[in-house]
């Protein structure tokens, strides 16, 4: 080791250039793998979703649901099965089949495996058996044990392009163009602008002149329609045992429909030929007509502008950030009309926000670590040499991610944050001992080589204790361990590489930047008489070896 370190001290710039080049290469390769907000993590609960054909009746859908229950219950490894429909009727168990009367074509199920089946390998085998059992069922069935499905709404998964402008028809046209552009990128599915299934609407067009001639006002028309639409009333409140209870009466005998809307009656008072008041009854059809159309269920606004969003899902095996880069390049060539703009939202917005916040946190952490070392060394240069190796040490974490196929995520960035605080420990030990040897009379290069040789064992021991502790998290086979595994990979691989930085690159940095003789720090106490002389101790040890 001493000969290798002496060689590095002669070539100097070469090891630093190699380390910096390797860091740049690793950053580029990791970014090519894409970025995710959170790594996909499994759980010990299996979810099953089934989509029936829209033409099937409710009874047919329930027959398919029964078939799912029968076949899945026979799968080896399924512990409990129960069923529950939209009315709340069902059996006991952990397998719940839900279907509402409004949309009984969409069914979801939850399966609890046998007790003790909690490793990723066992659950993957169970998923394969369930898929094989459900292969012949007349429905589109998906089976998964991913935790991320339950967090999809919170994380805003998928691509979202928000288009802003004033005219809704123009927004619709632009969104359709964007849908075509997104469709040109391989890896996106379920591309929509939210207008695939527009809501039906009824337009009531009132002839104001005719209504005024008959003595009917628009307010009366609105009031009559509102009364017919409201089928519930609370005419009385009862007091039972000191508690007030409202009695609600529901009258749905004559509900308002599009067929009888124009049959609403209005009673007006007019003068007959003899000057006497006379009541007349008129129908709404005499002063109004109906027209039908379609519209979106809701109109969103942001900062005073209307907003229409284009959404798409990334297929399995594709990374959203990589796909979004391709879409962004294509949209750069699209000419937006004046007064209209677009922006990326959804999961991508959360990812960028995560990167900004974690980057700021790392900067603050680096500054605080540097200030703590300044207080310890009573110098600005010594802690700079230590903190300079931190970004180079990140190469180890990036290499670990490349070898294991780990994508950059919030959990991985937390690993780099932990690594930043632990990687400086060995650097502090190294620089402090070099300074002590130089204060004892050794020249700079001899002190550097002596420090590496005498401090190699404690540096390796402190690194190995942390690395071995991280291995327990990395090798954990249980489902759900993926969430912490990424952080452990970054810390273990980064610390292993950082040890090489401490033993080989940090001495070179010390030799380049620390040209002046270190100062003897006054600790402010006159009672310390027995201060160890590290240089003398080292020279004495070397003399004993020569003898």
């Amino acid at each position: 080791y001493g000969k290798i370190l002496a060689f590095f001290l002669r070539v100097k710039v070469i090891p630093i250039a190699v380390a910096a080049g390797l860091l740049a290469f690793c950053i580029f390769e990791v970014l090519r793998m894409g970025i995710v907000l959170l790594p996909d993590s499994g759980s010990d609960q299996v979810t099953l979703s089934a989509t029936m054909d829209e033409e099937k009746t409710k009874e047919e859908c329930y027959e398919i649901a029964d078939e799912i229950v029968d076949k899945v219950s026979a799968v080896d490894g399924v512990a409990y099965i129960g069923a529950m429909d939209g009315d709340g009727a069902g059996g006991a168990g952990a397998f719940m089949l839900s279907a509402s009367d409004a949309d009984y074509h969409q069914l979801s199920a939850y399966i609890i495996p046998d007790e003790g089946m909690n490793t990723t390998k066992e659950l993957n085998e169970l998923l394969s058996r369930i898929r094989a059992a459900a292969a012949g069922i007349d429905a589109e069935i998906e089976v998964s044990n991913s935790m991320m499905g339950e967090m999809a709404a919170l994380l805003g998964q998928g691509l979202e392009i928000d288009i802003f402008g004033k005219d809704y028809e123009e927004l619709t046209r632009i969104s359709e163009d964007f849908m075509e552009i997104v469709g040109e990128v391989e890896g996106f599915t379920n591309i929509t602008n939210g207008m695939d299934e527009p809501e039906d609407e009824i337009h009531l067009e009132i002839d104001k002149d005719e209504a005024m001639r008959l003595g009917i006002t628009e307010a009366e028309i609105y009031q009559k329609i509102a009364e017919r639409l409201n089928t519930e009333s609370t005419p009385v409140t009862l007091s039972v045992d000191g508690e007030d209870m409202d009695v609600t009466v529901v009258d749905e005998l004559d509900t308002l429909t599009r067929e009888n809307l124009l049959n609403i009656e209005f009673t007006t008072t007019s003068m007959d030929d003899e000057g006497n008041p006379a009541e007349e009854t008129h129908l709404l059809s005499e002063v109004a007509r109906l027209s039908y159309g379609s519209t979106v269920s809701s109109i969103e606004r942001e900062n005073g502008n209307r907003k229409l969003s284009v959404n798409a899902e990334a297929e399995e095996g594709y990374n959203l950030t990589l796909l979004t880069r391709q879409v962004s390049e294509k949209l750069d060539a699209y000419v937006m009309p004046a007064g209209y703009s677009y922006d990326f939202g959804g999961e991508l917005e959360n990812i960028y926000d995560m990167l900004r916040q974690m980057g700021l946190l790392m900067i603050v952490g680096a500054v605080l670590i540097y200030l703590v070392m300044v207080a310890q060394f009573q110098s600005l240069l010594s802690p700079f040499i230590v903190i300079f190796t931190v970004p180079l040490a990140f190469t180890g974490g990036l290499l670990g991610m490349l070898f294991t196929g780990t994508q950059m995520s919030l959990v991985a960035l937390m690993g780099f944050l932990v690594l930043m605080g632990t990687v400086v420990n060995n650097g502090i030990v190294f620089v402090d001992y070099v300074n002590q040897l130089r204060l004892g009379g050794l020249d700079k290069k001899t002190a550097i080589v002596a420090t590496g040789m005498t401090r190699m064992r404690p540096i390796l021991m402190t690194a190995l204790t942390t690395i071995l502790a991280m291995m327990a998290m990395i090798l954990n086979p249980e489902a759900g361990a993926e969430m912490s595994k990424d952080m452990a990979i970054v810390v273990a691989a980064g610390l292993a590489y950082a040890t090489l930085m401490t033993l080989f690159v940090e001495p070179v940095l010390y030799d380049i930047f620390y040209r002046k003789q270190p100062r003897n720090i006054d600790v402010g106490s006159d009672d310390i008489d027995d201060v160890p002389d590290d240089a003398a101790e080292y020279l004495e040890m070397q003399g004993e070896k020569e003898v």
Side-chain angles (χ1 to χ4, degrees):
Y1 166 75
K3 293 180 180 179
I4 297 175
L5 181 54
F7 172 76
F8 277 17
L9 292 175
R10 287 196 299 269
V11 295
K12 290 184 180 179
V13 180
I14 295 178
I16 298 177
V18 172
L22 184 59
L23 174 62
F25 170 78
C26 290
I27 293 176
F28 177 76
E29 289 297 320
V30 168
L31 291 180
R32 283 184 57 188
M33 294 170 58
I35 306 173
V36 295
L37 189 60
L38 289 174
D40 192 10
S41 181
S43 68
D44 57 357
Q45 179 173 284
V46 178
T47 61
L48 182 148
S49 62
T51 304
M52 323 301 185
D53 192 334
E54 293 290 339
E55 297 181 356
K56 292 185 180 298
T57 64
K58 184 176 181 179
E59 289 72 19
E60 291 174 334
C61 290
Y62 279 178
E63 289 178 3
I64 295 176
D66 292 337
E67 185 180 1
I68 293 174
V69 173
D70 294 337
K71 290 192 174 183
V72 174
S73 63
V75 174
D76 182 26
V78 175
Y80 301 103
I81 300 177
M84 182 178 295
D85 60 15
D87 298 327
F95 183 89
M96 296 186 299
L97 188 62
S98 61
S100 65
D101 292 333
D103 190 8
Y104 47 81
H105 298 92
Q106 298 289 334
L107 305 175
S108 62
Y110 300 89
I111 307 169
I112 298 298
D114 288 337
E115 186 176 357
M117 184 180 291
N118 54 7
T119 65
T120 302
K121 181 180 178 181
E122 291 174 334
L123 289 171
N124 287 338
E125 292 175 353
L126 176 62
L127 293 179
S128 300
R129 293 195 294 270
I130 294 176
R131 292 190 183 103
I137 298 177
D138 186 16
E140 184 179 342
I141 297 177
E142 295 182 2
V143 185
S144 173
N145 72 322
S146 175
M147 272 186 207
M148 305 310 295
E150 301 174 0
M151 302 174 66
L154 177 63
L155 301 179
Q157 284 191 337
L159 173 70
E160 178 181 326
I161 308 176
D162 298 325
I163 310 171
F164 304 95
K166 295 183 178 180
D167 185 68
Y168 211 82
E169 292 184 0
E170 184 67 11
L171 287 175
T172 303
R173 185 190 66 80
I174 296 174
S175 69
E176 292 173 351
D177 293 341
F178 279 23
M179 290 172 61
E180 294 181 5
I181 294 174
V182 173
E184 296 174 359
V185 178
E186 182 181 356
F188 280 119
T189 184
N190 296 332
I191 306 171
T192 177
N193 60 354
M195 301 187 66
D196 298 336
E197 298 180 359
E199 298 287 340
D200 294 333
E201 65 176 3
I202 300 175
H203 296 275
L204 183 63
E205 301 176 6
I206 301 173
D207 188 343
K208 297 181 180 180
D209 295 335
E210 182 65 18
M212 185 178 297
R213 188 185 68 82
L214 297 177
I216 303 173
T217 64
E218 291 186 39
E220 289 178 301
I221 297 175
Y222 171 80
Q223 184 178 3
K224 282 283 187 179
I225 294 177
E227 289 176 356
R228 292 287 301 276
L229 288 174
N230 185 18
T231 60
E232 296 184 4
S233 62
T234 307
V236 65
T237 300
L238 300 179
S239 180
V240 180
D241 295 334
E243 294 185 8
D244 293 336
M245 297 182 180
D246 293 332
V247 177
T248 301
V249 178
V250 180
D251 182 9
E252 295 183 350
L253 297 177
D254 186 20
T255 57
L256 190 64
T257 64
R258 66 173 66 187
E259 289 78 14
N260 62 17
L261 176 60
L262 294 180
N263 295 331
I264 296 178
E265 296 181 350
F266 296 89
T267 301
T268 61
T269 303
S270 61
M271 296 294 182
D272 57 14
D273 297 338
E274 299 179 357
N276 297 320
E279 291 186 352
E280 296 181 357
T281 301
H282 300 279
L283 298 178
L284 181 59
S285 59
E286 299 180 35
V287 297
R289 67 183 184 89
L290 294 180
S291 62
Y292 303 96
S294 60
T295 184
V296 293
S297 57
S298 63
I299 297 177
E300 298 183 30
R301 291 182 179 270
E302 186 172 318
N303 297 327
N305 287 325
R306 290 183 174 180
K307 182 180 77 171
L308 187 62
S309 299
V310 174
N311 296 277
E313 298 177 4
E315 296 179 2
E316 186 176 355
Y318 289 87
N319 182 268
L320 178 63
T321 55
L322 298 181
L323 295 178
T324 305
R325 291 177 195 172
Q326 302 180 44
V327 175
S328 179
E329 293 174 358
K330 293 180 176 293
L331 291 181
D332 289 340
Y334 185 83
V335 180
M336 293 289 292
Y340 293 83
S341 61
Y342 70 89
D343 193 11
F344 289 96
E347 183 181 357
L348 194 68
E349 183 180 9
N350 293 332
I351 290 175
Y352 288 156
D353 186 56
M354 176 266 294
L355 292 176
R356 285 191 296 267
Q357 294 189 26
M358 292 301 296
L360 179 61
L361 192 59
M362 287 186 177
I363 293 173
V364 173
V367 172
L368 293 177
I369 292 172
Y370 178 78
L371 293 178
V372 170
M373 289 192 294
V374 167
Q376 175 186 349
F377 286 107
Q378 295 292 306
S379 167
L380 296 176
L381 186 58
S382 294
F384 173 77
I385 296 171
V386 177
I387 205 74
F388 191 81
T389 60
V390 171
L392 296 180
F394 283 174
T395 307
L398 296 172
L399 285 173
M401 294 174 63
L402 288 176
F403 285 133
T404 57
T406 302
Q407 294 179 320
M408 184 65 71
S409 65
L410 175 62
V411 178
L413 288 175
M414 290 177 63
F416 283 107
L417 195 62
V418 173
L419 183 62
M420 181 185 299
T422 56
V423 78
V424 298
N425 296 336
N426 292 332
I428 293 173
V429 172
F430 191 96
V431 173
D432 182 69
Y433 195 71
V434 174
N435 289 341
Q436 294 299 324
L437 291 180
R438 293 185 66 189
L439 288 171
L442 293 183
D443 65 276
K444 183 170 63 174
K445 291 191 177 180
T446 303
I448 292 174
V449 175
T451 298
M453 295 175 63
T454 57
R455 287 294 178 263
M456 176 186 291
R457 182 176 296 178
I459 287 174
L460 291 176
M461 289 177 62
T462 55
L464 283 174
T465 53
T466 306
I467 292 173
L468 292 177
M470 293 294 106
M471 292 303 296
M473 299 172 65
I474 295 174
L475 301 178
N476 187 359
E478 293 187 4
E482 297 88 351
M483 192 65 71
S484 58
K485 186 178 296 184
D486 291 1
M487 182 180 68
I489 290 173
V490 171
V491 174
L495 195 55
Y497 185 84
T499 303
L500 298 178
M501 294 292 100
T502 302
L503 295 175
F504 293 101
V505 176
E506 190 164 311
V508 176
L509 292 171
Y510 186 98
D511 187 36
I512 293 175
F513 292 107
Y514 217 129
R515 300 182 180 276
K516 295 182 180 180
Q517 182 72 10
R519 295 178 301 171
N520 193 359
I521 302 172
D522 183 7
V523 297
S525 176
D526 299 330
D527 299 330
I528 303 178
D529 298 326
D530 188 16
V531 179
D533 191 342
D534 294 323
E537 183 180 346
Y538 172 75
L539 292 174
E540 182 180 351
M541 182 179 61
Q542 291 296 107
E544 291 176 355
K545 287 183 178 180
E546 292 176 0
V547 172

